[in-house]
Amino acid sequence: MKATLWVTRYDARPCREDIASRTGMTMIELAALSEHGAHESAVVNVAPLLRIKKLVKRYGPKTVLHGVDLDIPAGRVVALIGASGSGKSTLLRCVNYLEVPEPGSEIWLDGELIGQDARSTPPRLLQGAALRRQRSQIGMVFQHFNLFPNLTALENITEAPLAHRRATKAEARMQAQALLDQVGLHDKAASYPSQLSGGQQQRVAIARALAMKPRLMLFDEVTSALDPELVDEVLKVMLQLAQDGMTMVVVTHEMAFAAEVADRVVYMDQGRIIEDGPPGSILRNPRHPRTQAFLKRMLRTG
Amino acid sequence: MSFDLDLIVQALPELLQSVLVTIELFVLLMLIATPISLLVALARVSSMLGLRCAAACYVNGIRCIPVLVILYFTFYGLPQLGLRIAPFTAALTGLTIGTVAYLAEDLRAGLTAIDPGQFQAADALGLGYWWRTRRIIVPQALPVMIGPYFTRAIVSLKATSMASIVAVNEVTGESMALLTQTYRALEFLTFAAITYLTLSAVLAFAQVILQRKVALP
Ligand SMILES: Nc1ncnc2c1ncn2[C@@H]1O[C@H](COP(=O)(O)OP(=O)(O)OP(=O)(O)O)[C@@H](O)[C@H]1O
Ligand SMILES: [Mg+2]
């Protein structure tokens, strides 16, 4: 469907260079695909919304991500699980370049190289407005909400659209109010974060991340800091978002949520993805002994 | 010999004039030093190494020189370089150079007190540096900054008395001048002390009001 959209937008069939840049595939890979009988525009159809290629991240001498590859098609929900320190947060933070990965790593969002200028060789790091625009297409929600305490719930949500000059003040406020309705907080517009419960704060944070109409949402243990009775209201909002077709990467310890909502579960261990598949098979019949041990621990502690 | 209030009453026009000079010097000093200090503080916590180093050099260099020596520099030194400036301007310049070094450190403490998660959230939303600073960081730092800021302001108020040494007739200078004319010390020095006390009290009062205004909800 995306291919059709794209083709009609430009009123032309995508040429191979375009597809290469949109999918992050090399020309050689594309040529090989065509030889195997796949039409090039079909490649666009299956091209993932998020493509992570050879993602390496080091802190000093310590390698935290060892060349992670991960493709996520549009509209899918991927649950990212793994022990503490396995690199889940670092992976998410590399996707929107809050952390700059090592040279050679590539993050592609809908055919656009994130954080680097694809036209220069070797790719130069993007700075300033270009990087900010890319980040605005990726929503991120944090474990500790990180709402701006000096702004009301509504102002938290309007901040990004106003900073990016996406909307007038009136438009931004209307849209923010609609988002507050969507997360079930229509009467909290004027409340400050300190006046909201943890669950409410996290829902405002989700609304804030949605205000830029992102194409991808990243969730980093967004229910871990919540009292147990507040977890469900946040998960419900995320479930609704998934059903509305949002592409999501969800780092979580909520195995029930992963089982129910995720299309795929990815298990990370010491900076590597060692298991990747549908939730049923990963959560019930993990093949890797480390995944088995991890899940056994999770079940024990709840 | 006792305390002669009449002396003060007689000299009141000159004395009040000198109070105005003190106030003017202090207000201008804070108006100029505050934004510069904020910029230096931001440079101190900047991600750019060059900026950080430059700001650190300035702060640590100036803090090691007595403000009085800096004042002598701007008063006697600058004219020698061909820069003719009025005593008031020389005093203001010297005091600003000194105050900025201390004030920047006070303000930096407020900036570093902010949860790193705030920077992350702002960056993840793609807010620009100045937007983030103006809308998110500084408003949250203000409640932390305000106490040290006013403490520094009171120190700077008292430091304006050094301007008397470079021929500015503010309260201390005027009081000393009257002292040497009349050979009466107690009256004029008391006047000077009460002036500083009153102005400091006004500042302390302003702090209480502002503290309430910038408090996070
Ligand atoms: N800024 C940093 N500097 C140095 N090391 C870091 C930094 N951030 C993370 N690390 C290290 O990288 C590794 C992966 O950290 P990360 O936060 O990505 O793990 P995680 O899977 O999210 O763990 P958790 O479940 O505890 O959140 C850890 O060993 C951590 O100590
Ligand atoms: Mg983490």
Side-chain angles (χ1 to χ4, degrees):
Chain A
M1 201 217 14
K2 265 170 47 218
T4 12
L5 269 180
W6 186 72
V7 170
T8 46
R9 188 147 31 102
Y10 292 96
D11 199 26
R13 286 196 90 79
C15 67
R16 196 173 280 174
E17 282 84 359
D18 289 334
I19 296 170
S21 84
R22 276 173 62 78
T23 58
M25 295 174 106
T26 63
M27 299 291 283
I28 298 166
E29 284 171 337
L30 269 176
L33 260 176
S34 321
E35 274 159 28
H36 283 87
H39 192 280
E40 282 157 19
S41 60
V43 176
V44 179
N45 260 331
V46 301
L49 181 86
L50 175 67
R51 161 159 288 184
I52 298 173
K53 269 176 92 175
K54 295 176 295 197
L55 174 57
V56 178
K57 176 66 191 173
R58 296 194 189 93
Y59 288 113
K62 189 175 172 199
T63 304
V64 176
L65 296 172
H66 297 265
V68 171
D69 292 296
L70 186 65
D71 281 1
I72 303 179
R76 298 295 164 78
V77 177
V78 170
L80 189 55
I81 62 173
S84 181
S86 56
K88 309 178 295 291
S89 298
T90 306
L91 177 79
L92 289 195
R93 294 155 49 75
C94 284
V95 167
N96 61 2
Y97 266 65
L98 282 184
E99 295 287 349
V100 177
E102 307 310 316
S105 311
E106 291 176 17
I107 311 286
W108 296 84
L109 181 71
D110 204 8
E112 185 180 351
L113 186 60
I114 300 293
Q116 306 178 70
D117 189 346
R119 287 163 307 180
S120 62
T121 38
R124 204 167 38 83
L125 285 182
L126 278 186
Q127 308 269 343
L131 179 60
R132 292 203 297 275
R133 184 188 59 75
Q134 291 186 334
R135 279 179 175 160
S136 74
Q137 302 174 351
I138 304 172
M140 191 169 205
V141 187
F142 303 88
Q143 179 174 359
H144 297 287
F145 331 136
N146 299 358
L147 287 179
F148 306 131
N150 56 316
L151 302 177
T152 64
L154 193 87
E155 288 167 341
N156 264 278
I157 302 170
T158 57
E159 205 60 8
L162 291 177
H164 289 270
R165 299 178 192 284
R166 275 299 171 77
T168 65
K169 213 162 186 168
E171 289 164 359
R173 294 179 75 86
M174 250 169 59
Q175 186 215 359
Q177 186 57 58
L179 282 167
L180 281 175
D181 296 349
Q182 184 185 329
V183 299
L185 295 171
H186 62 279
D187 55 343
K188 298 294 182 194
S191 301
Y192 284 93
S194 59
Q195 300 162 337
L196 299 172
S197 74
Q200 292 170 332
Q201 286 188 57
Q202 195 57 295
R203 285 185 282 155
V204 173
I206 293 173
R208 176 177 72 174
L210 290 171
M212 288 301 290
K213 303 193 171 65
R215 289 190 270 184
L216 171 70
M217 286 285 282
L218 309 172
F219 294 87
D220 195 354
E221 297 194 35
V222 296
T223 56
S224 296
L226 295 177
D227 291 340
E229 72 271 19
L230 301 177
V231 167
D232 275 350
E233 60 188 64
V234 173
L235 293 183
K236 239 169 71 190
V237 169
M238 291 167 67
L239 174 64
Q240 187 58 51
L241 208 53
Q243 285 171 348
D244 292 345
M246 177 61 77
T247 313
M248 299 165 43
V249 185
V250 184
V251 173
T252 186
H253 290 302
E254 300 284 337
M255 292 305 147
F257 180 79
E260 199 182 321
V261 179
D263 300 295
R264 246 164 84 197
V265 172
V266 169
Y267 178 73
M268 271 186 84
D269 183 77
Q270 296 178 14
R272 289 189 177 82
I273 291 178
I274 61 171
E275 209 147 355
D276 180 350
S281 70
I282 302 273
L283 297 178
R284 251 173 280 132
N285 306 307
R287 253 175 296 165
H288 204 288
R290 282 182 187 273
T291 322
Q292 292 165 0
F294 173 78
L295 288 171
K296 208 178 279 172
R297 268 203 317 279
M298 290 304 301
L299 288 178
R300 212 177 324 117
T301 56
Chain B
M1 278 237 308
S2 63
F3 194 94
D4 187 355
L5 201 62
D6 258 8
L7 272 177
I8 294 183
V9 175
Q10 277 167 24
L12 210 51
E14 292 101 311
L15 284 172
L16 288 182
Q17 175 61 32
S18 72
V19 172
L20 285 182
V21 174
T22 291
I23 293 176
E24 192 185 356
L25 186 56
F26 171 72
V27 168
L28 284 175
L29 168 62
M30 293 317 283
L31 280 180
I32 299 169
T34 303
I36 299 178
S37 302
L38 188 57
L39 289 177
V40 173
L42 287 168
R44 287 277 273 154
V45 298
S46 159
S47 56
M48 279 185 270
L49 185 67
L51 264 182
R52 256 197 338 261
C53 285
C57 287
Y58 175 80
V59 166
N60 292 315
I62 295 297
R63 279 197 304 182
C64 298
I65 306 172
V67 177
L68 190 55
V69 174
I70 300 175
L71 275 183
Y72 283 145
F73 255 104
T74 54
F75 186 70
Y76 296 110
L78 289 183
Q80 202 179 324
L81 294 173
L83 219 67
R84 296 235 148 265
I85 51 176
F88 184 88
T89 317
L92 182 59
T93 310
L95 286 170
T96 303
I97 291 171
T99 298
V100 163
Y102 294 97
L103 193 53
E105 284 303 275
D106 297 333
L107 299 186
R108 180 172 73 112
L111 294 175
T112 52
I114 289 171
D115 172 16
Q118 293 292 308
F119 292 86
Q120 277 177 33
D123 289 347
L125 289 170
L127 307 185
Y129 176 84
W130 289 110
W131 186 285
R132 182 185 81 187
T133 302
R134 182 171 59 83
R135 294 275 305 166
I136 313 295
I137 303 307
V138 170
Q140 288 180 48
L142 280 181
V144 187
M145 287 172 170
I146 211 121
Y149 178 85
F150 275 93
T151 304
R152 186 64 57 198
I154 290 171
V155 171
S156 294
L157 170 68
K158 294 180 293 177
T160 59
S161 68
M162 274 185 271
S164 63
I165 295 166
V166 294
V168 176
N169 267 1
E170 41 64 76
V171 167
T172 307
E174 190 61 40
S175 302
M176 287 306 288
L178 289 166
L179 186 153
T180 40
Q181 276 171 37
T182 59
Y183 296 103
R184 301 280 294 200
L186 215 48
E187 287 77 3
F188 300 117
L189 292 181
T190 305
F191 180 86
I194 288 177
T195 301
Y196 289 115
L197 203 66
T198 311
L199 293 178
S200 298
V202 170
L203 284 174
F205 184 66
Q207 174 183 350
V208 173
I209 305 239
L210 275 176
Q211 202 124 43
R212 225 170 284 156
K213 263 216 136 105
V214 301
L216 288 180

